[in-house]
């Protein structure tokens, strides 16, 4: 099978130039032909009317009528000739004027030599009263010509002859040629102007397209479309009227929108919670806006204005599935605390190696062996207990990391024996649990670290039942002064100086988010106990 040849795409500048030139040329030629035809017809009618008017005017002249009726031909000619010679000289488009009497003798002729001779040309047909003046084509001594005949009557109404006004066809053709020439000059001028304009227009369009060809734009559009459609994040672009310009597959899937529903639809109709007025009017950016789809999916949305020449021309919405986003955050939190645990373990391991090395150097190998067995058993016991009691990997990694950190700071860390976190009973996001527990443990260790004397103890309890969670953190730190108990949850409040005082404020906000409570029991110099209750019933954004 013969493969069909593919015509290469020409440059847009050349395409526009050729197309416009062809279009203008065809239209110009068509208009010129029609105009020439109409002009020739109009000019012919005008010349015929002019011939008729001249012939009629001469036939109605009293001088011509009276002198033509006189018997003396020579006297008649002598009077009529000066009058008609003067008239003829004023008529540039009349070639011959002839006055013929009823006896067929020329009483006047433009050529003086023919005056008095017998008229031997075509006789006019004046039998029909409607044809007492008319125009016709004929051939005379001077060649092809256009003639106008007009009958002459005396004062008594008797026929006394006729007037013949002639215009040679060669002169008529000259007028026609002049008209055609003018039209052709105009047509050529229009085509030249079209070429110049086409060149200017094609250059301007090329400049507007930043020098790219249509094929390049097609490839760029196809690439952009493929990229945007393959993203897991939802992308929605809207104009200043809030109508959707573009929505990718991921966004339609998140919002449960059909392809035909998004066309020329306002974003408020597709997702009422995506309020873009502030972004479109004030250019405000919003990140992490929580919305729910029609099917109850939790979605995080970023709203970004699109600017062009410092003017807002639209807005871009980036949607992320909160479930997937939360899962990633939980994984990252787990990795973070595992790294922290490894770092603390490494530091603690070096300290223990120094102890073992010292025991060996002084010859107490039995004590060194016992020391190794003890620390291994203790560490394995703690880690095993955490992994068995805490089903959430991120929270478990956090506790292991904090245990290692506490060992590094010489703090006795304990997970209460009855602690249990069951994922089948509570569905709060791991990231939020890590934030709450991590901040409470950090504050407790900071407080214990400020205290020089023993005991330095930190215990944490985590308990779950269906749709509820209890967290308790007890420390033997410096405690909280009574006058500061009501202020510890304020943003930025701290007794440690600048860049502190944010942890408990964040914890308090998360507790309120999940309809929870937090209570504090503290005594200066003795320690502090925090008790937190949380629920996943009625929470605004839980997994």
């Amino acid at each position: 099978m013969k493969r069909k040849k593919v015509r290469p795409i020409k440059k847009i500048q050349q395409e526009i130039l050729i197309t416009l030139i062809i279009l203008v040329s065809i239209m110009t030629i068509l208009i010129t032909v029609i105009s020439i035809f109409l002009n020739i017809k109009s000019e012919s009618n005008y010349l015929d009317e002019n011939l008729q008017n001249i012939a009629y005017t001469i036939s109605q002249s009293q001088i011509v009528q009276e002198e033509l009726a006189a018997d003396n031909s020579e006297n008649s000619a002598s009077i009529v000739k000066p009058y008609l010679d003067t008239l003829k000289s004023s008529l540039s488009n009349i070639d011959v004027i002839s006055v013929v009497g009823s006896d067929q003798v020329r009483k006047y002729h433009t050529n003086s030599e023919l005056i008095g001779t017998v008229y031997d040309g075509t006789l006019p047909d004046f039998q029909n009263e409607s044809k007492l003046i008319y125009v016709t084509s004929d051939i005379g001594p001077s060649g092809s010509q256009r003639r106008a005949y007009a009958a002459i009557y005396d004062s008594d109404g008797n026929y006394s002859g006729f007037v013949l006004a002639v215009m040679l066809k060669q002169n008529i053709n000259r007028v026609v040629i002049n008209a055609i020439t003018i039209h052709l000059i105009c047509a050529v001028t229009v085509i030249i102007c079209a070429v110049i304009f086409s060149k200017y227009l094609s250059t301007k369009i090329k400049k507007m397209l930043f020098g790219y060809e249509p094929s390049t734009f097609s490839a760029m559009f196809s690439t952009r479309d493929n990229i945007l459609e393959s993203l897991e994040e939802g992308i929605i672009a809207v104009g200043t009227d809030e109508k959707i310009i573009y929505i990718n597959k991921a966004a339609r899937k998140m919002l449960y929108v059909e392809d035909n529903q998004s066309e020329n639809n306002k974003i408020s109709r597709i997702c009422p919670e995506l309020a873009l007025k502030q972004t479109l009017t004030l250019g405000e950016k919003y990140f992490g806006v929580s919305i729910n789809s029609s099917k109850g999916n939790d979605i995080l949305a970023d709203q970004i204005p699109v600017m062009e020449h410092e003017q807002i021309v639209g807005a871009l919405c980036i949607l992320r599935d909160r479930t997937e986003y939360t899962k990633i955050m939980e994984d990252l939190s787990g990795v973070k605390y595992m790294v922290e645990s490894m770092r603390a373990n490494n530091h603690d391991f070096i300290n223990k190696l120094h102890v073992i090395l010292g025991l060996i150097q002084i010859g107490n190998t039995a004590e060194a062996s016992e020391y190794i067995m003890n620390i291994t058993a203790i560490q394995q016991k703690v880690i095993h207990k955490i992994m068995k009691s805490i089903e959430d990997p991120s929270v478990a990694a956090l506790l292991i990391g904090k245990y290692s950190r506490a060992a590094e700071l010489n703090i006795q860390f304990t997970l209460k024996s009855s602690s249990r976190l069951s994922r089948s009973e509570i569905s709060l996001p791991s990231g939020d649990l890590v934030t709450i527990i991590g901040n409470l443990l950090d504050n407790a260790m900071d407080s214990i670290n400020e205290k020089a004397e023993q005991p330095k103890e930190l215990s944490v309890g985590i308990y779950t039942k269906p749709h509820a969670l209890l967290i308790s953190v007890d420390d033997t730190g410096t405690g909280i002064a009574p006058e500061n108990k009501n202020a510890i949850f304020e943003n930025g409040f701290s007794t440690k100086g600048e860049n502190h005082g944010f942890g408990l404020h964040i914890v308090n906000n998360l507790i309120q988010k999940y309809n929870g409570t937090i209570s504090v029991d503290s005594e200066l110099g003795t320690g502090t106990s925090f008790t937190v209750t949380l629920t996943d019933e009625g929470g605004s954004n839980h997994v």
Side-chain angles (χ1 to χ4, degrees):
M1 182 176 173
K2 188 176 180 181
R3 188 175 179 181
K4 186 178 179 181
K5 291 184 178 180
V6 180
R7 179 174 173 265
I9 299 176
K10 294 182 179 179
K11 291 184 178 180
I12 187 171
Q13 194 169 5
Q14 185 179 356
E15 287 280 1
I16 293 172
L17 189 62
I18 293 174
T19 302
L20 281 177
I21 290 174
I22 292 174
L23 180 62
V24 172
S25 299
I26 291 173
M27 294 300 296
T28 302
I29 292 170
L30 185 61
I31 292 171
T32 301
V33 170
I34 295 173
S35 178
I36 289 173
F37 173 77
L38 294 176
N39 189 266
I40 290 174
K41 187 174 181 181
S42 175
E43 193 69 28
S44 298
N45 291 336
Y46 168 75
L47 293 175
D48 286 352
E49 288 179 5
N50 191 44
L51 283 171
Q52 282 184 322
N53 291 336
I54 292 170
Y56 178 74
T57 300
I58 294 173
S59 69
Q60 296 299 311
S61 172
Q62 188 175 359
I63 295 174
V64 173
Q65 290 177 359
E66 290 178 355
E67 296 301 329
L68 194 62
D71 293 335
N72 189 347
S73 299
E74 292 182 0
N75 183 46
S76 171
S78 63
I79 297 173
V80 172
K81 188 175 185 305
Y83 167 68
L84 293 179
D85 283 345
T86 303
L87 179 63
K88 168 63 178 63
S89 63
S90 65
L91 300 172
S92 59
N93 56 350
I94 300 298
D95 296 305
V96 177
I97 296 176
S98 181
V99 178
V100 181
S102 57
D103 57 356
Q104 308 302 317
V105 175
R106 294 185 178 94
K107 306 300 181 181
Y108 173 80
H109 196 282
T110 303
N111 185 356
S112 301
E113 295 180 358
L114 296 178
I115 297 175
T117 59
V118 176
Y119 173 74
D120 55 355
T122 303
L123 293 174
D125 180 15
F126 293 134
Q127 293 180 0
N128 190 340
E129 291 185 358
S130 63
K131 293 188 66 177
L132 296 180
I133 177 171
Y134 66 94
V135 178
T136 185
S137 295
D138 206 343
I139 298 176
S142 302
S144 182
Q145 52 192 235
R146 192 73 173 162
R147 294 180 173 184
Y149 295 96
I152 303 174
Y153 294 89
D154 59 18
S155 57
D156 296 330
N158 298 317
Y159 175 76
S160 58
F162 65 89
V163 175
L164 175 64
V166 177
M167 187 172 186
L168 297 177
K169 274 292 182 70
Q170 59 185 13
N171 293 332
I172 295 175
N173 292 339
R174 189 180 299 113
V175 173
V176 171
I177 291 171
N178 289 338
I180 292 174
T181 302
I182 292 172
H183 280 80
L184 290 177
I185 291 173
C186 292
V188 171
T189 303
V190 169
I191 292 174
I192 292 172
C193 292
V195 172
I196 296 171
F197 176 75
S198 300
K199 185 74 174 177
Y200 166 77
L201 182 62
S202 61
T203 303
K204 186 176 181 181
I205 293 175
K206 184 84 171 180
K207 187 176 180 181
M208 290 172 64
L209 296 176
F210 303 104
Y212 291 109
E213 296 297 328
S215 56
T216 306
F217 270 100
S218 298
M220 290 169 64
F221 177 81
S222 178
T223 303
R224 185 215 68 167
D225 199 53
N226 291 334
I227 292 172
L228 293 178
E229 289 298 324
S230 64
L231 290 176
E232 293 185 3
E233 291 83 2
I235 305 294
I236 304 175
V238 299
T240 52
D241 56 358
E242 296 189 37
K243 285 188 176 180
I244 296 174
I245 299 172
Y246 175 80
I247 178 169
N248 72 345
K249 181 179 178 181
R252 290 195 297 270
K253 183 178 179 181
M254 289 182 195
L255 300 176
Y256 295 92
V257 176
E258 299 294 334
D259 291 352
N260 55 355
Q261 289 180 333
S262 60
E263 294 178 1
N264 296 319
N265 244 336
K266 285 195 172 184
I267 187 67
S268 55
R269 293 187 62 185
I270 300 298
C271 184
E273 294 185 29
L274 270 176
L276 296 174
K277 287 187 178 179
Q278 295 290 336
T279 301
L280 290 171
T281 55
L282 302 178
E284 298 287 343
K285 296 180 180 179
Y286 297 95
F287 298 98
V289 178
S290 182
I291 62 174
N292 291 310
S293 69
S294 59
K295 298 294 180 69
N297 286 11
D298 288 329
I299 299 169
L300 291 175
D302 296 340
Q303 299 171 193
I304 306 168
V306 178
M307 311 292 289
E308 186 175 312
H309 305 300
E310 298 184 356
Q311 295 291 324
I312 300 172
V313 295
L316 185 68
C317 296
I318 303 174
L319 310 180
R320 301 178 184 86
D321 191 324
R322 188 183 179 91
T323 305
E324 296 297 324
Y325 192 67
T326 303
K327 184 179 178 182
I328 293 171
M329 292 298 295
E330 289 171 357
D331 291 342
L332 290 175
S333 296
V335 171
K336 171 188 171 184
Y337 289 110
M338 285 299 291
V339 171
E340 184 178 335
S341 173
M342 291 171 66
R343 183 194 61 79
N345 275 329
N346 180 59
H347 190 273
D348 188 46
F349 180 68
I350 292 173
N351 290 335
K352 289 179 171 59
L353 283 179
H354 288 158
V355 173
I356 295 168
L357 178 62
L359 290 171
I360 293 173
Q361 286 177 341
I362 63 176
N364 293 335
T365 55
E367 287 83 350
S369 298
E370 184 179 353
Y371 180 75
I372 293 171
M373 296 297 293
N374 286 337
I375 62 174
T376 302
I378 293 171
Q379 191 165 23
Q380 288 297 326
K381 183 178 179 181
V382 172
I383 294 174
H384 177 73
K385 183 178 181 180
I386 291 174
M387 296 301 294
K388 182 179 179 181
S389 303
I390 307 301
E391 293 182 3
D392 190 301
S394 296
V395 177
L398 168 70
L399 294 175
I400 293 170
K402 295 304 179 185
Y403 165 74
S404 300
R405 176 62 178 160
E408 186 181 352
L409 296 174
N410 246 349
I411 298 172
Q412 184 179 346
F413 183 95
T414 306
L415 178 66
K416 294 180 181 179
S417 59
S418 57
S419 292
R420 186 176 65 89
L421 195 161
S422 174
R423 265 302 178 190
S424 62
E425 293 180 335
I426 194 77
S427 59
L428 296 173
S430 298
D432 290 344
L433 290 178
V434 166
T435 299
I436 293 171
I437 298 170
N439 276 294
L440 292 175
L441 292 177
D442 285 341
N443 278 351
M445 280 194 272
D446 287 344
S447 179
I448 295 172
N449 231 14
E450 292 177 5
K451 190 177 179 182
E453 66 275 9
Q454 294 293 335
K456 292 187 176 184
E457 298 175 355
L458 172 60
S459 63
V460 58
I462 302 174
Y463 313 93
T464 58
K465 66 178 183 178
H467 306 294
L469 174 69
L470 175 68
I471 303 169
S472 68
V473 177
D474 305 321
D475 67 70
T476 59
T478 56
I480 302 171
E483 63 272 15
N484 293 335
K485 279 188 179 181
N486 295 328
I488 59 175
F489 297 112
E490 294 178 4
N491 191 22
F493 176 82
S494 176
T495 59
K496 304 171 187 176
E498 295 184 2
N499 300 320
H500 292 86
F502 303 105
L504 289 178
H505 175 72
I506 295 171
V507 168
N508 191 44
N509 286 342
L510 288 173
I511 291 169
Q512 291 178 4
K513 177 180 178 181
Y514 297 112
N515 300 323
T517 61
I518 183 169
S519 62
V520 185
D521 185 14
S522 182
E523 185 178 343
L524 275 175
T526 302
T528 303
S529 177
F530 282 92
T531 303
V532 174
T533 62
L534 299 170
T535 176
D536 62 6
E537 293 180 342
S540 60
N541 289 301
H542 57 273
V543 177

